[in-house]
Amino acid sequence: MSFADLGLSDELLRAVSESGYTEPTPIQSQAIPPVLMMKDLIGIAQTGTGKTASFVLPMIDILAHGRSRARMPRSLILEPTRELAAQVAENFEKYGKYHKLSMALLIGGVNMGEQVAALEKGVDVLIATPGRLMDLFQRGKILLTGCSLLVIDEADRMLDMGFIPDIEEICTKLPAQRQTLLFSATMPAPIKKLADKFLSNPKQIEVSRPASANLSIEQAVVETSSRGKRDTLRGLLRAEDVTSALVFSNRKTTVRDLAQSLGRDGFKAGQIHGDMEQPERLRELDRFKAGEINILVASDVAARGLDVKGVSHVFNFDVPWHPDDYVHRIGRTGRGGATGKAITLVTPEDAEAIEAIEKLTGHKIARSGGSKPAAVREESDEPEAKPTRGRGRRAAPKAEAPARSEAAPASEALVAREPRTPREPRAPREPRTPHEVIPIDARPPRESRNDDRRPRRDERDDGPDEGWNGPIPSFLEVRLG
Ligand code: ADP
Ligand code: MG
């Protein structure tokens, strides 16, 4: 099957071939024809399977005819995060270069005035995160009554981030006569319900089991201890043939500390987590894409769906709390046909979490022993605001809880059990940075650190964006055809 068999226009085929794609991915070859026939569609395929082009390409041809009107976008694409929205915009630029389509990006963290100005002129394609869209809608800056094509992308992530009520509300503002496409890696019940309510007679395409292990990813588990994790990781980073790596951690503070400590050890490491301002995150991402740094330490929320090409390795510094996140994380490597390696550091406390992952993927991950645990003290740490769909599938809360509330006694107990071998004199400890110690009473109350809750609006990646009204980074710039 080639792109030419899918019914796309010649101009589009030219742009596709210039982008270097030779063959459509399975989701693309199955989704593009029905979308071109204006059917509603549900596309289920795991991360990294090319879902973006499966709606961007037919949309460009569908929108090629017709004119946009002021404040009335002709199509709307909803994305859970700013980064994903920006990536979709990049796709429209790349494939739409022989078309005269106008596009606007409505995301938090960039100047609203320019976004509004673009809308005023009328756009063919509006790419938005739900929060910012609702905001503009409420200010009367936008009318969705002319919007005859809606894409709800990364629906399962939308659910994770608590956006479903916003999406429902947005859906009611669009004309009933429209085409609706929904893409997701998984199909949990609330997404099915959403689809039943807002799609009409959709064609459902499921390309591979969402949790099935990607064949182009070599997976391994390396056993270590929580105190030896950093050493194990450093050892692996040196031993493996790492050209570029994403290192995932469950907590924002671990992301920060780990990136700093890797930097001190001479690694070219950067970081990306939900507490960083948008320009800062984009800057790190750019540095990573440009090869200025080749290790990016990330939290799940910040890294969600990022299209970073050519990552040779994914390291799970922490076993993810939710097995689904494992699939999403390792999907960052082995993309677009290249092989990649995903290595997960596992401590004895992670046994249950790893079991849950193996159960979900139906695949036993190969074990190998890591380096000997070293006397590296784990700092107490706050969890990354980790939204969940509330299905009670928490993988390792039991192991986490004591470590957080009684950090000192727990680590003492560990030390006591470990055989004390004579050690070389230790190098003086690096000076502690203020954020390493979090006084007990300065921490959020127990329940607000609970992992199983709906995220507050300000914890989402699409949260409030006061604080930056600066220039739009070049690749985010609104382009008017
Ligand atoms: P998803 O949304 O399913 O997670 P993306 O649309 O972000 O996946 O695509 C994942 C990666 O695969 C991107 O780097 C993209 O450029 C690449 N890709 C998509 N389609 C093709 C194709 N037909 N041939 C080669 N690479 C592709
Ligand atoms: Mg996607």
Side-chain angles (χ1 to χ4, degrees):
M1 172 81 69
S2 78
F3 278 107
D5 300 327
L6 302 177
L8 298 167
S9 68
D10 290 344
E11 296 90 334
L12 200 51
L13 291 175
R14 205 161 108 216
V16 167
S17 89
E18 282 169 13
S19 80
Y21 294 178
T22 48
E23 237 189 294
T25 66
I27 185 85
Q28 288 161 6
S29 55
Q30 291 181 55
I32 291 172
V35 175
L36 283 174
M37 286 160 72
M38 317 294 286
K39 286 199 190 332
D40 279 11
L41 179 122
I42 298 173
I44 308 163
Q46 72 184 81
T47 306
T49 49
K51 294 189 289 296
T52 314
S54 70
F55 61 85
V56 169
L57 296 179
M59 276 180 80
I60 291 172
D61 272 346
I62 289 171
L63 295 168
H65 309 285
R67 278 184 57 85
S68 57
R69 290 159 60 191
R71 288 191 209 183
M72 292 177 72
R74 295 172 64 206
S75 66
L76 171 65
I77 299 169
L78 294 174
E79 292 289 335
T81 66
R82 304 157 181 181
E83 286 85 358
L84 283 168
Q87 278 169 16
V88 171
E90 284 182 309
N91 271 262
F92 268 100
E93 295 210 322
K94 193 160 61 172
Y95 306 125
K97 64 181 187 181
Y98 300 116
H99 285 79
K100 278 204 180 324
L101 290 181
S102 58
M103 166 174 93
L105 193 54
L106 269 193
I107 54 176
V110 299
N111 187 305
M112 201 182 287
E114 301 186 35
Q115 296 176 345
V116 170
L119 282 173
E120 292 285 344
K121 291 186 196 161
V123 292
D124 297 303
V125 185
L126 178 62
I127 305 162
T129 50
R132 181 51 77 95
L133 181 67
M134 291 295 288
D135 196 355
L136 259 88
F137 195 86
Q138 275 145 18
R139 292 170 197 225
K141 300 287 187 196
I142 188 166
L143 270 174
L144 296 175
T145 47
C147 194
S148 56
L149 206 170
L150 170 68
V151 180
I152 303 166
D153 193 22
E154 308 281 351
D156 52 347
R157 297 287 123 187
M158 298 276 204
L159 174 65
D160 281 349
M161 299 178 77
F163 281 142
I164 299 299
D166 286 349
I167 293 175
E168 294 212 359
E169 194 172 339
I170 291 166
C171 281
T172 62
K173 303 194 187 308
L174 269 78
Q177 273 294 337
R178 61 159 195 266
Q179 183 178 14
T180 308
L181 316 175
L182 182 145
F183 291 89
S184 195
T186 58
M187 210 52 191
I191 299 294
K192 262 198 208 89
K193 231 172 95 192
L194 183 81
D196 287 346
K197 200 162 162 194
F198 294 106
L199 275 70
S200 81
N201 193 20
K203 185 167 174 59
Q204 181 159 329
I205 291 166
E206 188 163 357
V207 157
S208 63
R209 300 281 330 139
S212 66
N214 184 332
L215 291 178
S216 58
I217 303 172
E218 192 186 328
Q219 300 171 60
V221 152
V222 172
E223 284 160 356
T224 180
S225 72
S226 54
R227 291 154 70 241
K229 271 184 177 185
R230 284 196 190 182
D231 271 4
T232 306
L233 178 69
R234 277 189 289 257
L236 287 166
L237 285 169
R238 292 197 175 106
E240 291 279 324
D241 195 11
V242 175
T243 45
S244 59
L246 279 172
V247 178
F248 283 98
S249 168
N250 292 350
R251 302 179 183 88
K252 293 183 269 203
T253 43
T254 311
V255 170
R256 264 193 300 258
D257 293 348
L258 190 57
Q260 280 170 8
S261 109
L262 288 171
R264 283 193 298 262
D265 285 324
F267 291 102
K268 292 187 291 171
Q271 54 182 295
I272 184 162
H273 57 77
D275 266 0
M276 285 162 68
E277 294 288 341
Q278 179 68 354
E280 239 185 312
R281 283 200 240 167
L282 292 170
R283 216 158 36 229
E284 284 293 87
L285 196 59
D286 280 347
R287 292 208 305 147
F288 189 62
K289 283 183 170 175
E292 229 174 280
I293 50 175
N294 70 333
I295 297 167
L296 191 60
V297 187
S299 65
D300 290 292
V301 173
R304 192 146 292 164
L306 284 184
D307 177 21
V308 182
K309 287 198 198 77
V311 175
S312 68
H313 288 71
V314 167
F315 292 96
N316 291 313
F317 184 76
D318 297 314
V319 178
W321 285 321
H322 302 287
D324 277 359
D325 280 331
Y326 177 81
V327 178
H328 284 282
R329 287 182 183 184
I330 73 167
R332 311 288 111 223
T333 184
R335 315 197 91 193
T339 34
K341 204 160 174 183
I343 301 178
T344 304
L345 304 193
V346 174
T347 68
E349 299 85 66
D350 296 324
E352 211 182 310
I354 279 289
E355 240 172 68
I357 288 167
E358 291 180 328
K359 203 165 148 214
L360 178 82
T361 60
H363 168 87
K364 182 116 179 116
I365 309 168
R367 258 71 171 170
S368 69
S371 63
K372 282 270 172 300
V376 179
R377 192 184 171 282
E378 277 289 294
E379 310 298 13
S380 67
D381 208 346
E382 289 302 306
E384 164 93 332
K386 187 60 189 76
T388 155
R389 50 191 68 138
R391 276 194 264 141
R393 288 183 298 117
R394 300 166 63 191
K398 278 179 272 174
E400 293 300 335
R404 248 179 264 143
S405 51
E406 303 147 43
S411 55
E412 284 310 312
L414 260 175
V415 171
R417 262 187 273 119
E418 233 141 63
R420 287 215 176 246
T421 45
R423 275 186 311 213
E424 292 167 30
R426 251 209 310 181
R429 238 190 95 73
E430 288 133 356
R432 300 179 70 91
T433 49
H435 66 257
E436 280 184 334
V437 183
I438 301 155
I440 300 283
D441 41 7
R443 295 184 202 175
R446 198 88 189 75
E447 57 277 17
S448 79
R449 281 183 278 136
N450 185 354
D451 175 36
D452 255 349
R453 71 196 158 86
R454 231 186 101 149
R456 290 194 316 266
R457 212 167 240 283
D458 60 356
E459 289 172 335
R460 304 174 187 169
D461 263 6
D462 192 48
D465 39 68
E466 297 83 56
W468 189 44
N469 246 4
I472 306 179
S474 66
F475 80 98
L476 290 187
E477 222 136 36
V478 169
R479 190 193 56 145
L480 294 167

